[in-house]
Amino acid sequence: MQISSAVLKKDEKAIFGLRELYQKYGYSQFKMSKFEPYDLYVRNKDFLISENVITFTDAGGRLMALKPDVTLSIIKNTPDAPEFVQKVYYNENVYRTGADGTYKEIMQLGLECIGQVDAYCISEVLMLAAESLAFISEDFVLDISHMGIVSPLLDEAGASPAARTEILKCIGEKNAHGVAAACAAEGLDSTKLCALVTTYGAAADVLPKLDVIRTEGNAAAMDELSLVLKTLEKCGFGDRIRIDFSVICDMNYYNGFVFRGFIQGLAAGILSGGQYDTLMARMGKKAGAIGFALYLDMLEQLSPETPDYDVDTVLLYDEGADMRALTETIGLLTANGKRVMAQRSVPEKIRYRQLLKLQERGVEILENNA
Amino acid sequence: MLNVALPKGRLGEKVYEMFEKAGFACPSIREAGRKLIFENPECGVRYFWVKPSDVAIYVERGAADVGVAGKDILLEYEPDVYELLDLDIGKCRMAVAAMRDFRDDPRRTLRVATKFTNITKNYYASRGRDIDIIHLNGSIEIAPILGLSDVIADIVETGSTLKENNLEVIETIVPISARLIANKAGFKFKSAQIEALTAAMGRNGGEK
């Protein structure tokens, strides 16, 4: 049986399309259990988007959790093999607590590259992130930052841990006045940190301007950013790939490239990713890693594809109708590509193109709306 | 079309003037009436009046691309938005106030009445002080008078309401002013317009 793309919802289309895309680049599907021992999340609580994990006690008395995140499970279950790269993608539901305290099931699709992550791997993951966004909508933006550029600037400025947290928050808000105020409070030079906030835009425009924030400490990261973005230029995404240092991720987990993807019509980023070697090290792994996740539940917020009609035909039949004639008529209509609903009387709130009635002498057209 | 959420009230009118000076005029907004949405297709702008504490919600959820909200609201609700500019208007401070004869006993849990529970919680947590928060929606000043709380944490503009109720500021938590905020995703797709607006409002800042 062939599946028509017309019956698929936006998120279902994305799942099928993107799975094909990831498989094309050698990524294999990673399946995992819905449950993990709660302990896994307690040790890495800040890595989770939502702190509240849904827990229960299993038959053996262990405290288990409905998985709120996929990356931690993948790291835990992937053998540590730093000499090559393991490429996996996943399509899983995660369970989180919303801001209003209610439980939410979220459909997440993403990929992870674990092992010897080099500039090519990073470029490939970023290219796949951009391709994923482009698959959903041509009108997308992928913002890329590098924690190896941001972090040394904070170190070199000599910010205290409290000021560091405040400055990072302000960088994430594009809040240059806040950065200046936080620096002034500790007598720090804010020039380069403010420049981080105001330096953003299409990669081709911004790369030549990055010298204003280049220091000895971030030179290597700067060169890596430049190399990867120049590689991406060849993929033809043009100004949709942007440098934006306001993409900030927790430095206890992320170390290198961090990125976020946006789609016109959605109020928040739909894709989030980064390089998380620090998290790998915290979990006792020697390998490096980079990956991203797409929050497909957000696609519901895009203008809905409401069909004009719920069904093509409503076929009415009487109590004593000939079942064989009814089945044959429905078979004939569905074979012609019609969506048919058999009913004894006209259902309420159903929009149909045609209303038919099965009579002894044949099929009678009662109403034609199209 | 740039969607702008303006805070209803005196501050909102002042803010609109800043948008007008920045080249985003919409004359119909000055007409008397109960209309809440105003549009000027020539300037590519649509304004709507909303409750000041709701501006951040409209912007965070993308119903508005930009808006103007007090720093108190941003600190209290911590919306995921860009804070592009300090407009330097609507200036006041978030402060702790108590009855004039109040003497703090650090051995006791401090009872704090406030509308701003998040700001208050963060402030006292940073000082390691154990507090009991009493969330009230208005007339906060009465709480210490009636013995409901030891102190209050509230917005203080001139301090005259406090004075009339025999209260005084004992600590300033944070200075407050109006900020230009933007939806993060909206900023990506309307960056030229939002940047032009921010730059013009920043330039005109001194003329207020």
Side-chain angles (χ1 to χ4, degrees), chain A residues 299-314:
Chain A
L299 293 179
E300 260 184 20
Q301 295 163 27
L302 289 175
S303 353
E305 296 160 332
T306 318
D308 294 337
Y309 298 98
D310 299 309
V311 288
D312 295 307
T313 306
V314 168

Side-chain angles (χ1 to χ4, degrees), chain A residues 147-179:
Chain A
M147 298 310 282
I149 294 174
V150 180
S151 185
L153 287 182
L154 286 162
D155 297 339
E156 285 158 30
S160 68
R164 212 181 153 94
T165 310
E166 177 62 18
I167 293 169
L168 271 174
K169 184 172 171 281
C170 291
I171 293 172
E173 293 170 350
K174 287 195 182 293
N175 180 349
H177 52 275
V179 172

